[in-house]
Amino acid sequence: MKFRLIILLFLLLSVRSFSQCCSQGTPMGGANNQSILNPGNVRVFAFGTHSRSIKQDVDSKYLIDGANFNFVGTNINIGITKRITFEGTIGYFINKSQFYKTSFVEPFSTVEMRGFGLSDAIIGLKGLLYKTDGGFELTAGLGAKIPSRYHYQVLEDGVQLSVDNQTSTIGFGVVPKLLVFKRFSKQNLSLFFINLYDINFKNFEQYRYGSGINSSLFIGKTFPKFSCKTDFIVELRSSFRLKDINFPANKERFVMATTGSFIGTISTQIGQTFMDKYRLAVAVDLPVYQKFNTSKLKNQFGVTASLVFDINAKKKKVYTNEEVKAHKTEVIFVNGGCEMCKERIENIALNEKGVSFANWNSESLMLTVKFDNNITSIGDIINSIVKSGHDSENQKTSNKTYNSLPKCCQYERILNE
């Protein structure tokens, strides 16, 4: 791609007149919205985002006509202890583009200034501070931001990309955060709040991107009459960013007065869960309030598709047909109410070491299991199932565990008098 010298001149004269059109680093705060994991377990959050920005005033003589970016990334959580989880995030900008007018009279023409490459990586820990049986959790985390490059990206024709087109902040930073979660089982409702601080240090090009505060409130709801596996989430998000600071050589620092912003966004999301551990979701972001320190591009919309899945660290032995035939077979009563119960009961049984086969009949409420009785017992299998919220004939789960099940899974209990 060839760029004209006039574009470079305009960039030098208006280096920050279009600040904040695209967020630096990973543009998906939701990538960090993961709970604490059990030791050795892994949760992967993969996502792709498309975001578009337009001019605040379509009739203005503003140099930049619009912008967009396409981004793919992943967030990985690894359970270290029962209260501490490692978290890492990295992504890649397929493009981080701004479109510049080369003429304000017909025939109009535009040139794309396109950045691409790895985003900053964020690695850190988060710990569970407080948890109750009523579904309340308080978690705090601290991450270190690591730049993917140490100098501004320069294109093949020698043009240096603007600071807004860079895919990395070119410097280190820290990302502390606080997470609050509350579940209301009877209403099939959950509330999730995250407050994330994006603190940037002076980078290797003697520039500091403005630090920011991102606060999000997620309201999640399932409708059992429709589907226990489909959830709807509304996110209310506010993003505040301070002004950038330039540190030119042999001069005092210079605050970039045209930078800084406050953006209010509403996001709607629909998700579908498969096999009790895979969740596919699509979210649409629409800004409802935007305030900048000067005329800039404004966010128009964003679309994100994501997939979350868990990996159990325990390796499951694969049994041959001959071994399965030799295993002991038991048929036991397990209470439940729907196909989601079937997946949960069978998965829990199969995760028990030594179990080679599990099938639960939703009509008869009978679970057929085959297992190596040298490794496990029917008692151990029943204990694991009861702890998940399902009564057996002689063992009952606690009322708190039963009430934590999705509404459509809350079967009619047969309690001993």
Side-chain angles (χ1 to χ4, degrees), residues 319-354:
Y319 293 96
T320 65
N321 291 333
E322 289 73 18
E323 288 176 320
V324 172
K325 291 178 181 178
H327 283 176
K328 187 175 181 179
T329 300
E330 292 275 2
V331 180
I332 56 176
F333 171 83
V334 176
N335 212 342
C338 62
E339 288 302 308
M340 192 172 183
C341 294
K342 177 179 174 67
E343 290 185 4
R344 184 183 304 109
I345 293 168
E346 292 177 356
N347 286 337
I348 290 172
L350 289 170
N351 283 332
E352 190 73 22
K353 191 174 182 181

Side-chain angles (χ1 to χ4, degrees), residues 30 61 104 118 154 202 210 216 262 272 274 319 331 337 341 405:
K61 299 297 183 181
F104 296 103
L118 289 172
V154 178
K202 181 170 67 173
S216 291
F262 178 82
Q272 181 73 24
F274 304 92
Y319 293 96
V331 180
C341 294
L405 291 172

Side-chain angles (χ1 to χ4, degrees), residues 341-387:
C341 294
K342 177 179 174 67
E343 290 185 4
R344 184 183 304 109
I345 293 168
E346 292 177 356
N347 286 337
I348 290 172
L350 289 170
N351 283 332
E352 190 73 22
K353 191 174 182 181
V355 176
S356 57
F357 175 84
N359 181 68
W360 183 75
N361 189 302
S362 59
E363 294 183 359
S364 66
L365 305 182
M366 303 303 292
L367 171 68
T368 302
V369 290
K370 292 185 177 184
F371 58 95
D372 185 344
N373 59 354
N374 293 318
I375 297 178
T376 189
S377 67
I378 191 62
D380 291 336
I381 299 170
I382 293 175
N383 286 337
S384 297
I385 293 173
V386 169
K387 288 179 181 179

Side-chain angles (χ1 to χ4, degrees), residues 102-272:
T102 59
S103 173
F104 296 103
V105 296
E106 294 186 4
F108 298 110
S109 61
T110 59
V111 172
E112 178 185 12
M113 183 70 75
R114 177 177 178 268
F116 58 91
L118 289 172
S119 68
D120 294 336
I122 300 176
I123 58 173
L125 299 174
K126 54 188 177 183
L128 181 64
L129 302 180
Y130 183 72
K131 182 178 181 179
T132 69
D133 293 334
F136 177 84
E137 294 182 14
L138 178 63
T139 303
L142 180 63
K145 182 187 294 185
I146 303 172
S148 60
R149 60 174 67 236
Y150 299 102
H151 298 285
Y152 287 140
Q153 186 176 16
V154 178
L155 301 174
E156 293 180 357
D157 56 3
V159 174
Q160 177 182 296
L161 289 175
S162 73
V163 291
D164 275 319
N165 287 97
Q166 300 293 330
T167 62
S168 169
T169 57
I170 324 296
F172 291 91
V174 293
V175 186
K177 61 182 177 181
L178 183 69
L179 306 93
V180 182
F181 176 80
K182 173 61 178 175
R183 181 178 60 250
F184 301 90
S185 300
K186 292 184 179 180
Q187 293 78 21
N188 297 294
L189 183 71
S190 60
L191 299 179
F192 185 90
F193 175 77
I194 177 171
N195 203 43
L196 186 146
Y197 301 86
D198 183 16
I199 303 173
N200 296 305
F201 303 141
K202 181 170 67 173
N203 67 18
F204 296 94
E205 296 285 357
Q206 303 304 303
Y207 194 91
R208 189 174 78 186
Y209 289 94
S211 298
I213 301 176
N214 296 280
S215 301
S216 291
L217 174 64
F218 298 84
I219 305 171
K221 175 73 173 176
T222 59
F223 299 90
K225 292 183 179 180
F226 176 71
S227 173
C228 270
K229 300 181 183 180
T230 304
D231 59 85
F232 302 88
I233 297 176
V234 175
E235 177 193 0
L236 305 176
R237 181 171 66 247
S238 66
S239 302
F240 173 75
R241 189 162 293 278
L242 298 173
K243 297 176 181 180
D244 295 359
I245 298 177
N246 193 14
F247 299 84
N250 302 320
K251 295 182 181 180
E252 295 182 358
R253 69 178 191 171
F254 179 68
V255 177
M256 312 302 289
T258 60
T259 62
S261 64
F262 178 82
I263 302 174
T265 304
I266 183 169
S267 176
T268 56
Q269 179 181 149
I270 181 171
Q272 181 73 24

Side-chain angles (χ1 to χ4, degrees), residues 397-415:
T397 188
S398 68
N399 290 332
K400 288 183 178 179
T401 303
Y402 171 81
N403 290 331
S404 69
L405 291 172
K407 195 69 175 179
C408 61
C409 293
Q410 292 183 3
Y411 48 88
E412 184 176 351
R413 306 188 74 183
I414 305 174
L415 299 176

